[in-house]
Amino acid sequence: MSNVWMIVADAMSASNVAGVATNADAPVDALVFGDAKMAEDVAKLGVASVTRYDVSSTMAEAYAPAIAQKAADEAPAAVVLSDNATARALAGAIAVKVGAAVATSVVSLKVAGAESTVEQLVAEGEAVQVLKSAKPVVCVIADGGPDAEEGAAVAVAEGAAEASDALKVVVTNAEGEGAAGLLTAEKVVGVGLGIGGKENLALIDDLAGALGAAVACTLPLCDNYHWFEHSSVVGTSTQKISPRLYISCGSSGAPQHMAGVRSAKVIVAINNDPEAPIFRECTYGIIGDAVKVLPVLTEAVKSA
């Protein structure tokens, strides 16, 4: 039976990726690019093997040529990964090396001999498309799918692969604690274009202060308006967070943004458009102007 490779480069989405990989009817070999704790956690997710590659002194992407050659030698039927920049770089090298098909927004994978059947979300998640491939297939897993069930841990092996010296880290400039704070925050208040003028951001800060929450934003408030640093953005290509509570203020619920917050346990949406897509994603919805709702909500939190 052909095997499935699972590439893990971020701890947050590992269980989500394993949820698809371990239901593929094929053994799953996990390749982990991170610390020992990440590898140990992956080892409990129903995989057949775990190989850890140490990235403490180099970029994970530096392993791409060696991992691509390993794929050419071992010929996995499929490679599954999260929509993470590092994992995409590794999987991209594999796809080029072995001539694999590539599918995004994947929610299901089945391997039967030389053929793989893939289900992917289309039409902004409103429909599922079924694909078949007799070639190896690289699957970028859709966010927010079912997590893998934990079980007995397998042993973790240390990977031996030559890292390319084409890229070297010479310095790292941290933007501050925004990204790290969002990744670990239990509560997050998010803000989108519906907040109106910049002066209304004080309302966001007031609610966040009352809740003891971190503040996040959608991409336009960073790239177009420059009201926030990049470390405050949540979305597909930025931070993906999983707080217990996420309150969205004035965000329409664009797929790019929702991919970053879909793992939140509870999502509360405030938007004055009853047809806003976020109302299909949230746990609780408040239809109203965020500028009017926020002071009332903040006062209620303070009085609780």
Side-chain angles (χ1 to χ4, degrees), residues 7 31 43-44 47-48 54 68 74 125 136 166 186 217 225 238 257 268:
I7 294 179
L31 282 62
K44 303 173 186 176
V47 298
D54 186 2
E74 299 184 9
E186 292 277 300
C217 71
Y225 289 80
T238 51
H257 178 66
V268 177

Side-chain angles (χ1 to χ4, degrees), residues 90-283:
L90 293 164
I94 294 171
V96 172
K97 185 71 174 180
V98 304
V102 178
T104 58
S105 300
V106 172
V107 294
S108 174
L109 167 69
K110 297 294 182 182
V111 173
E115 186 174 76
S116 296
T117 302
V118 175
E119 294 183 356
Q120 67 173 173
L121 297 177
V122 294
E124 297 188 353
E126 297 298 321
V128 175
Q129 182 168 264
V130 179
L131 310 170
K132 287 187 180 292
S133 177
K135 300 170 60 177
V137 59
V138 169
C139 300
V140 182
I141 304 304
D143 292 296
D147 290 334
E149 294 185 7
E150 290 194 4
V154 299
V156 176
E158 293 297 321
E162 183 177 352
S164 168
D165 61 0
L167 288 174
K168 293 182 179 179
V169 178
V170 292
V171 66
T172 300
N173 295 315
E175 293 183 328
E177 299 182 357
L182 284 175
L183 291 176
T184 58
E186 292 277 300
K187 304 171 186 175
V188 176
V189 177
V191 56
L193 289 171
I195 196 63
K198 187 176 182 179
E199 66 277 7
N200 294 328
L201 294 181
L203 300 175
I204 299 294
D205 292 336
D206 288 346
L207 178 59
L211 287 167
V215 174
C217 71
T218 58
L219 189 61
L221 294 188
C222 170
D223 282 4
N224 299 341
Y225 289 80
H226 308 293
W227 291 353
F228 291 89
E229 296 292 333
H230 196 261
S231 58
S232 296
V233 183
V234 290
T236 301
S237 58
T238 51
Q239 281 72 247
K240 295 179 182 177
I241 60 176
S242 55
R244 289 191 296 110
L245 172 66
Y246 180 72
I247 301 179
S248 169
C249 307
S251 171
S252 65
Q256 198 276 348
H257 178 66
M258 295 309 299
V261 302
R262 195 163 281 128
S263 294
K265 303 302 183 291
V266 175
I267 297 176
V268 177
I270 305 171
N271 197 293
N272 60 5
D273 179 6
E275 300 300 321
I278 197 167
F279 287 126
R280 298 197 296 269
E281 305 266 3
C282 67
T283 314

